[in-house]
Structures are given as C-alpha cells and as structure tokens.
Amino acid sequence: MAGRSKKSTKKFEKNHLKDTIDKRKEFAKIKQRHQTKAKKKARNASDNARVLDDDEKPAVPDSKRDSPGQADPFNKMSVDEFFQGGFELPEKKKDKSMDKKKDAAQKLGKRKRTAPQTTGKRELGSSNAIGDRSEFSDEEQSSVSDMELDTHQGDLDALAEKDPDFYEYLKENDAELLDFEENLNQAGVDKLSETEKTPKKKRKKDNKGQKDDEQVAEAGASEDGSDVTIALVEKWKTAMCEQHSLRAMRQVVLAFRAAAYINSGDGKEYRYSISGPEIYHQLLLVALQHVPNVLAHHLPAKESTTGKVRIATDSKKYRTLTPLLKSHAASVQYLLENLSDAPTIKLTLSSLAPLLPYLLPFKKVLKALINTTVTIWSDPSSTEAIRITAFLLIRRLAIFSDASLREAVLKTVYQGIVKGSRNTNTHTLAGINLMKNSAAELWGLDADVGYTTGFTYIRQLAVHLRTSITQPTKESYKAIYNWQYTHSLDFWSRVLSTHCYPATIIKSQSSSPLQPLIYPLVQITLGALRLIPTPAYFPLRFHLSRSLLRLSRATNTYIPLAPSLLEVLTSPELSKPPKASTLKPLDFATALRAPKSYLRTRIYQDGLGAQLAELLAEFFGCWAKHIAFPELVIPPTVLLKRWLKTASTTSPTSRPSFPSSSKKAKKRQGGNRNAKVNASIMLLLQKLDLNARWIEARRRTVTFGPGNRAAVEAFLNEVPVADTPLGAFVVGMRKQHEERERVLKEGRKTDEQSQGGVGRREGQRGAVGGGDDDDEERDINEDEEDGGSVASSSGQGSDQ
C-alpha cells in the first residue's frame, strides 16, 4: 500500500496539474528570454569596452610595446635643436595592427565619432575656425559641453537602434527625457534655414533674392548682444512672412524672451536688449502673430474630424525646434502673468491656441500654461472678452489632449471657479455665472474623466457637510455657509443639467455616465439647505432651491422641495406682523444671509413672500403636465389654505376703544397684516387648483392604468408646458422678474454714476450684507449668541 498515491495528489493531478505545468513552461520561457537578453547586454558591454580600449591605446602609448622604429624622436634632441627645428611635428609611422583593429570595429557596426587626426591642428587652427566660433553668441555652450551633448545624442541613437520599442515608449510617455538640450540648438536651425534656401538660390539669382538673403544674414549676424531696433524687427518680420525663415524666427524668439523678462529682476543677461516702448510693442506683435505661422509652414498640423491633432514629432525639424518651442512657451507664460492691458492679454491668449499641438509632448509646460490661463479666466477683474478667449483656449486643449491631461484641465478649472467665486456682489455675479456656464461644457467632452472628477469633488462637499453636522462649531458652519460652497453646489447642478438627459422609468440606464451623480448631489444640497434653519439664512435656502429646480427641470427628476419652501412660509417672518423700516430692499441675488437689522421688518417680509411665491410656482410648474399632479398638490394646498386663514384673520378687538389699551389689542390681533404677501399666495393657490382640474379633465379619457409605465410617461407629451394654466402663470412671472431685474440694474448704474462707484459699492455691501467672509463670520457668531444650536432654531420654527 506504500506505492498508492494520496487522495489529494490524485485530485491535484486531475484538476491543477496541467495548468501548473503550463505555467512553469511559460515561466521557463520568460526566464530564458531574460537570460538571453542579459547575455546580449553583457556581450555588447564587452564589445564597447574593447572598442574604447582600442581607441585609447594610441593616445597613451606604452614604451614597452613600441618598436625601435617607432621610438620618440624627441628623446635624443636637445632644447636648442628643438627650437631650431621650428614647431613642425614629425610624422609617426602608422601601426598596421591599429588599422586592423579600427577596421574590425567598423565592421562590428560600432558608432565612432570622427575626430581630428592631430591635436596640433586643433590648438593651432586657422583663422577660419576662430571666425566660425565667433559667429555664436555668449549663451552657447563651450566645446566641451558640445562634445558631451554629442556623446549623449550618440547614446540615444544607439538606444533607438538596439531597443526601438523602449525608445518609442519614452518618446510617447515622457519626451522631456529625450529632450536633454537646455540651450537653443541654434546651429541646427541655421542648417535647416540654409537647406531650405538652397533650392531658391539655384532657381532665382535676381537682386530681390540677394536682398532677402542679405537681410537674413544681417539678422543672423546681429546675435551678439545688440539692441533691437525697428528696422531689425521689420527685417525679421519680412523674412518670416515671405520666406518662412527659421533663422529669423529664432532671433525673434530670443528677442521676445528678453522683452518678456525685461522687468523680471532675475539678474540674467539676455542676448538682446529692448530700448523703447515702440520696439517692445512691435516685437510683441511680430512674435505673437508670426511665430505660429512659421511653425505651421514647416510642421503642418493635421486635425481629424474628432478634433485630434497630429504632428510629425519624430522628424528632425521638430527635434531641432523643440528648444525654441519650450523657450517661447515659457516667455508667453511669464508675459501673461505680468500683463495688465486687456487687449494685449487677449492677443497673447489667442497666439497660444495654434501652439498647443506642438507642446503636447511636454506636459509640464502645458500644465504651467493651464494654470496661468485659468488664473486669468477666473480673475474677477478680467473682462468678458478675456474670459471667453481664455475659455476657448482651455476648451481647445481639453479636446485634443489625452485623458491624463484632460483630467488636469478639469481639476484646474474647478479650482479656478472656487477661487474666483469667493467674493460675490452685483459686479462680480455676471462673471461668476459666465464661468460656471462655460466650464460646465468641459465635463461633457470625456464623460468618464468627467465622472471621476465630479465624484471626487462632490464627495469632498459631502465630507464637509458631514463634519459640520457631527461637529457643529463656528468653523464647521463657516465651511458650509459661504459663497464658495454655494457656488460649488450650483456649478455641479449646472454640469448635471447640461449633460444628463431626462431619465424616464422605462429606461434601464441613462445615456450619460454622469447620471449616478444626481442623487448624492441632491442629498448634499438638501442637507446644506436645512443646516441652520433660521430666518436669517433664508436667502441661502433660496439659492440652493434654484439649483435643485434647474436640475429637476433638466433631468426630469422629482426632488421634494415643497417641504423646505413651506417651512419659510410657516416661519415667524411671514406669520407675525412686521415692524416698519426704511431700509433698502434686500438683494437676494447677492446675499447669503439677511443682516440682523432686516429681520422682522416689512421690507424683508415682502422680499420673502415674493421669492417664496416664485419658487413654489417654479417647482409645481415642473410637473404641470404630469398625470399625478392633482395628488401632488393636495398636501401643499391644505397647508397654504390653513396658512392663509391664520394670516388673514384679525380679532374683533383689533380696533381699541381707548388709546390706553392699544398694546393689549395688538397682542390679541392675529395674522401678518401684509396684504401683498397674502395676495401672492392666494393667487398661487388658485393657479394650483385650476391646473389640477385641467389635468383631471384630460385624464378622464385615458384607457390605461397606473401599471402601464410607458403610457403614464407619455401623457400630454405633445402639449407645451406654457399651454397649461400653471405653466402660463410661471411664464408670466419670469417675464416680470426679468423686467424687474432690468430696472434694478439700470437704477444701480445711475446711482453709481451720480454718487461715485467705489464708495457706493462699499456702502451697499455694508448695508445689505454682501458676500464678504468677514460679514459671514460676524453673522454666524451672532447666530450662536442669539440662539446657539440648530435644534433650538428648528424647535422655534415648529412651534409656529
């Protein structure tokens, strides 16, 4: 029985033996491949070492190995004889064995750099060599650094021959490793220019061609730290426009760099110096307008129908022009950071658009440009034209970039929105809305990347809200009740409203990957909306309600907004009689919290009533065509009727018979004594009842039941919302609101022109309670001093 195998062994042989053998064979193949590669590398290393040793042996001769015929002729020569013979060096006899070794090295295919035969010719060279060296500027590297660069380039060429797959991987993923030249490769650009001019010289030898060549030659000869003149700029411009000269473009890029860093104070010395504002202006125009044209001529970009751009990045021209591209991009970025003139900023941003395809391999350069462009786009002082130009540049980059760079663009744009929306007032609100509307489009270019970034930032908002609920402190409240958090929630509602199509019950899943983000965003917004349910923060509640209304209307998603809005109606601000006040009307569009002086006043009560009636009408107007509208409005209708009965009721003793009992009569008197607010709620109640009857009349003729979901969703699809009683009422309210906003805007402009813009704006901000962080901090402190906790505030509201 000793030879009998175990049960586990049989089970292993039956189920896993074949897979194990196959895995071992695959592992053996991989191991053999790695061993072969290691042997090949060792053999190549030994060959290289042997070739290097052979090259070094003639440079350091060994006296023991020298033959008598090859002895040093200076050993037996005195000093006088040496000086009488002059400086001519006697020729040594060639060693045949060394020639054989060199021939063997060449047959092996090893790359060797040809060098001068004797050091005497290099040291005592002719004046031509000195003249050639004097043509280069002081910024070029010395001969030693040039030899090091050549050696490094030779190693890269050898890498491309030995391991082309790895070389292509480096070129695609990190081209900056291959771009090792820090200084401009000016000699390569000159060679490209000469090769392009050679056929033109052969074809045309007239006077005009000679003049053009002289102009370009003068531009090349003016490299040695000269002052830029108008004539020189015009020569460069002519050469770039007529000949598309790369040499002239190189000079313009170097001069533009000096102009961009003219006030940097970094202590660096540049080749050119700018001596006047006219020269500075002309140089900027030439560099920004004509450098992209020259690049497009020599390296044309091919754009596909999907928006992707392709450029021959593996060509010799592109490798030669890479230092120029990086230098020009760095100069433009520094110039953008320090410009203040609006037309110049717009021109500079426009010049970057055609350069973006050439900078795609250099992600560090592009990320720096993205940060600078987003900073300009989100700056409150930027004009609308600058914002639009900057956004078009950001959008163009997001279209033809890869997923990693597109994600960096989206993150930087969102951070710019948060940073630019910190201070919100009547003057910055239009720019902030422009930012949010334009940036929402970017999240639809790549839905997968958009979902990733959207989920990350919405989760951050949820974490802040949870911290504020679990740890209710002043700092946690300030992290939620500020303009940045409010604008962030509003921005994500715009993103989802733009890219999430109306989701119906019959659809298994939405056509947009962003659809799953609707539920968490709604939950976060509802939580922030009721975090501090005091009357002072009703303006913030209205802001967030409008964001949810937009999302509900665009995606056809039901969001229960009626309870949070009806809480405002039952609060003391709308249920009790107000006190008289001479304050200006509160601007709900630019206020998150009502100042303490506005609470329980008639002006604040009127504003709350108008906002509440408008929001309730908008909410029920979203479902004016739904077949279940009559059942939807039953609870709100009951509450509105009850509130109207309480608010309009007055005691029989409201008119006191004696003046001494007036205070007691006021205490016995009921209602809010505000006919304007009561009339608006009464009108809304009538429209709700009328629309419910209209729906009931049309659903009497249907032949399907509630189980037929497709028929329920298709009910009154062909009828426009404006044709319903409630829909027509909402359209009329929107027109009245727009007209009221237009009148207020014109009146605000008139006040600023008559009383001074800056002082007037500061006075309005202090009186109305604008969006400054200091005001919000003071308001939250006052809340905690007055009431303390959220629970006490909510309890007070429930008692009413």
Side-chain angles (χ1 to χ4, degrees):
M1 302 299 285
R4 186 176 179 181
S5 58
K6 296 182 179 180
K7 185 177 180 181
S8 59
T9 305
K10 293 181 179 180
K11 189 175 182 181
F12 176 80
E13 291 176 354
K14 181 179 179 181
N15 299 330
H16 305 289
L17 180 61
K18 185 177 180 181
D19 295 337
T20 304
I21 294 174
D22 293 341
K23 288 181 181 179
R24 289 181 179 178
K25 288 181 180 180
E26 290 293 332
F27 179 77
K29 291 180 181 179
I30 295 174
K31 185 176 180 180
Q32 184 180 4
R33 194 182 304 120
H34 283 291
Q35 290 176 353
T36 305
K37 188 179 294 186
K39 290 180 181 180
K40 186 177 180 181
K41 287 184 179 180
R43 184 170 60 255
N44 293 336
S46 62
D47 293 342
N48 292 335
R50 185 167 59 253
V51 172
L52 291 175
D53 292 341
D54 294 342
D55 292 341
E56 291 176 358
K57 285 178 183 178
V60 185
D62 191 358
S63 59
K64 295 181 180 181
R65 295 173 58 184
D66 290 342
S67 61
Q70 296 177 348
D72 191 356
F74 298 106
N75 290 336
K76 300 179 180 181
M77 187 180 295
S78 64
V79 177
D80 297 334
E81 293 176 351
F82 175 76
F83 282 105
Q84 288 177 1
F87 292 97
E88 295 183 358
L89 300 179
E91 296 182 356
K92 294 183 180 181
K93 296 182 180 180
K94 296 183 178 180
D95 193 357
K96 294 182 179 181
S97 61
M98 295 300 298
D99 294 340
K100 291 180 180 180
K101 290 181 180 180
K102 292 181 180 179
D103 295 339
Q106 292 179 359
K107 290 180 181 180
L108 289 174
K110 301 300 178 183
R111 181 179 181 275
K112 289 186 62 181
R113 190 172 290 102
T114 58
Q117 297 294 330
T118 59
T119 59
K121 290 183 180 180
R122 176 175 293 182
E123 295 175 355
L124 305 174
S126 61
S127 60
N128 293 333
I130 299 176
D132 294 339
R133 184 173 298 177
S134 64
E135 291 182 359
F136 298 100
S137 64
D138 54 351
E139 289 187 358
E140 292 184 334
Q141 295 179 340
S142 61
S143 59
V144 178
S145 61
D146 290 336
M147 292 177 62
E148 292 177 356
L149 293 177
D150 293 337
T151 304
H152 191 23
Q153 183 63 46
D155 295 338
L156 291 178
D157 295 337
L159 176 64
E161 295 177 0
K162 294 179 180 179
D163 197 353
D165 296 335
F166 181 69
Y167 187 84
E168 290 294 328
Y169 174 81
L170 287 179
K171 186 164 60 175
E172 293 176 0
N173 292 272
D174 199 350
E176 295 181 1
L177 290 177
L178 305 179
D179 187 23
F180 59 89
E181 296 184 47
E182 295 293 336
N183 296 328
L184 300 178
N185 191 1
Q186 300 175 3
V189 178
D190 289 338
K191 289 180 180 179
L192 286 178
S193 301
E194 291 173 1
T195 55
E196 290 176 1
K197 291 175 186 177
T198 301
K200 182 179 288 187
K201 290 181 180 179
K202 291 181 179 180
R203 293 194 305 266
K204 296 182 180 180
K205 293 184 179 181
D206 54 354
N207 295 332
K208 184 176 180 180
Q210 293 178 0
K211 290 181 180 179
D212 294 338
D213 295 339
E214 291 176 359
Q215 289 178 358
V216 179
E218 289 178 4
S222 62
E223 294 180 0
D224 298 331
S226 60
D227 294 336
V228 179
T229 61
I230 296 293
L232 188 59
V233 175
E234 290 297 330
K235 290 179 182 179
W236 290 339
K237 180 180 179 181
T238 304
M240 293 172 66
C241 293
E242 297 181 359
Q243 303 178 4
H244 300 285
S245 173
L246 291 175
R247 182 182 297 174
M249 186 192 74
R250 183 196 69 191
Q251 308 303 327
V252 170
V253 169
L254 296 177
F256 177 72
R257 184 181 182 185
Y261 290 88
I262 191 171
N263 294 324
S264 61
D266 53 0
K268 293 183 180 180
E269 294 183 0
Y270 298 96
R271 178 176 306 174
Y272 294 101
S273 60
I274 313 301
S275 58
E278 295 184 0
I279 300 175
Y280 180 86
H281 178 69
Q282 291 295 329
L283 181 61
L284 255 64
L285 290 179
V286 172
L288 297 177
Q289 293 178 353
H290 298 288
V291 168
N293 297 334
V294 176
L295 288 175
H297 175 77
H298 292 280
L299 294 171
K302 298 179 180 180
E303 186 171 358
S304 62
T305 55
T306 58
K308 299 295 181 180
V309 180
R310 294 185 178 180
I311 294 178
T313 56
D314 55 347
S315 62
K316 183 180 179 181
K317 278 187 179 181
Y318 184 81
R319 291 196 299 268
T320 306
L321 294 175
T322 293
L324 285 175
L325 284 170
K326 297 174 70 174
S327 175
H328 186 64
S331 302
V332 172
Q333 178 195 351
Y334 186 82
L335 185 66
L336 282 173
E337 293 176 351
N338 297 275
L339 283 177
S340 59
D341 183 53
T344 309
I345 294 176
K346 184 179 178 181
L347 176 63
T348 309
L349 290 172
S350 302
S351 68
L352 275 176
L355 293 178
L356 293 179
Y358 303 95
L359 299 174
L360 282 179
F362 315 109
K363 294 184 178 180
K364 292 182 180 178
V365 178
L366 279 180
K367 289 181 179 179
L369 286 175
I370 292 169
N371 292 331
T372 305
T373 306
V374 171
T375 301
I376 296 173
W377 173 70
S378 61
D379 190 3
S381 61
S382 299
T383 61
E384 184 177 353
I386 292 178
R387 289 179 186 269
I388 294 175
T389 306
F391 172 73
L392 292 177
L393 181 65
I394 297 170
R395 183 181 180 274
R396 177 175 173 81
L397 179 60
I399 288 176
F400 57 72
S401 59
D402 56 356
S404 61
L405 192 58
R406 191 177 293 116
E407 183 178 1
V409 171
L410 295 182
K411 290 183 177 180
T412 309
V413 166
Y414 179 73
Q415 293 170 1
I417 292 175
V418 175
K419 182 180 178 181
S421 61
R422 176 165 186 158
N423 294 324
T424 303
N425 49 49
T426 55
H427 306 282
T428 61
L429 184 60
I432 294 173
N433 289 332
L434 176 63
M435 281 197 303
K436 292 188 292 186
N437 291 329
S438 57
E441 181 187 353
L442 300 178
W443 264 258
L445 299 177
D446 190 341
D448 296 332
V449 177
Y451 174 81
T452 304
T453 54
F455 178 83
T456 302
Y457 289 118
I458 291 176
R459 184 179 179 275
Q460 287 183 1
L461 298 175
V463 170
H464 288 305
L465 180 61
R466 183 184 62 184
T467 303
S468 181
I469 294 174
T470 57
Q471 301 175 2
T473 59
K474 296 179 183 179
E475 297 299 327
S476 62
Y477 285 154
K478 286 192 293 183
I480 304 299
Y481 276 26
N482 57 68
W483 276 116
Q484 291 176 312
Y485 196 91
T486 305
H487 282 300
S488 298
L489 291 175
D490 184 70
F491 169 71
W492 290 116
S493 73
R494 293 172 190 260
V495 171
L496 299 182
S497 301
T498 304
H499 303 293
C500 294
Y501 303 104
T504 58
I505 300 177
I506 59 175
K507 290 185 179 179
S508 58
Q509 61 183 20
S510 174
S511 57
S512 174
L514 299 177
Q515 188 79 18
L517 297 178
I518 294 178
Y519 178 77
L521 180 64
V522 170
Q523 292 297 104
I524 296 169
T525 308
L526 289 176
L529 183 142
R530 305 181 66 177
L531 181 63
I532 304 180
T534 56
Y537 286 101
F538 284 162
L540 183 140
R541 180 176 297 208
F542 294 155
H543 282 291
L544 298 181
S545 298
R546 293 184 188 277
S547 301
L548 293 179
L549 280 174
R550 181 192 306 109
L551 183 60
S552 177
R553 189 185 306 113
T555 61
N556 199 22
T557 303
Y558 177 75
I559 301 174
L561 278 175
S564 61
L565 294 176
L566 293 175
E567 284 182 4
V568 179
L569 190 65
T570 58
S571 65
E573 292 295 326
L574 289 175
S575 300
K576 292 186 177 181
K579 60 183 179 181
S581 175
T582 58
L583 295 173
K584 295 183 60 177
L586 181 64
D587 188 4
F588 285 87
T590 58
L592 286 181
R593 181 192 186 278
K596 200 170 184 179
S597 58
Y598 276 82
L599 298 180
R600 304 297 295 273
T601 60
R602 179 62 177 266
I603 194 68
Y604 187 51
Q605 191 179 76
D606 291 343
L608 288 178
Q611 294 286 324
L612 184 61
E614 181 181 351
L615 290 173
L616 285 174
E618 290 282 353
F619 169 70
F620 290 112
C622 296
W623 310 102
K625 298 192 305 179
H626 202 275
I627 196 171
F629 182 83
E631 289 75 19
L632 175 65
V633 298
I634 289 177
T637 301
V638 173
L639 193 144
L640 289 175
K641 289 181 178 180
R642 186 180 303 169
W643 181 86
L644 279 174
K645 184 177 180 180
T646 305
S648 304
T649 302
T650 57
S651 176
T653 58
S654 60
R655 293 185 179 180
S657 57
F658 299 100
S660 60
S661 62
S662 59
K663 294 183 179 180
K664 295 181 180 180
K666 288 182 180 179
K667 289 183 180 180
R668 291 193 300 266
Q669 183 179 356
N672 57 6
R673 294 187 299 173
N674 194 329
K676 182 179 179 180
V677 175
N678 298 342
S680 62
I681 299 300
M682 177 66 74
L683 181 60
L684 175 63
L685 190 59
Q686 293 174 359
K687 296 298 180 181
L688 292 178
D689 184 62
L690 184 61
N691 197 86
R693 293 180 181 179
W694 187 80
I695 293 293
E696 288 176 352
R698 276 152 181 77
R699 74 179 184 183
R700 288 194 188 100
T701 59
V702 299
T703 58
F704 54 86
N708 192 349
R709 308 303 297 167
V712 169
E713 293 294 332
F715 179 73
L716 296 181
N717 271 347
E718 70 282 357
V719 179
V721 179
D723 291 347
T724 62
L726 184 59
F729 174 67
V730 172
V731 171
M733 290 188 66
R734 291 175 184 172
K735 292 181 179 179
Q736 292 177 3
H737 178 74
E738 293 175 358
E739 182 66 20
R740 186 166 55 252
E741 290 294 329
R742 185 185 63 81
V743 173
L744 289 175
K745 187 176 181 180
E746 293 178 356
R748 194 180 299 117
K749 289 182 179 180
T750 305
D751 291 343
E752 290 178 0
Q753 293 175 359
S754 60
Q755 300 184 11
V758 178
R760 185 65 174 174
R761 286 198 297 269
E762 293 178 353
Q764 288 180 355
R765 189 180 305 172
V768 176
D772 294 341
D773 293 339
D774 297 337
D775 295 339
E776 293 175 3
E777 182 177 359
R778 184 178 65 253
D779 296 339
I780 292 175
N781 293 337
E782 290 175 357
D783 279 346
E784 297 204 351
E785 291 175 0
D786 295 340
S789 64
V790 177
S792 62
S793 301
S794 60
Q796 182 181 0
S798 62
D799 293 340
Q800 299 298 328

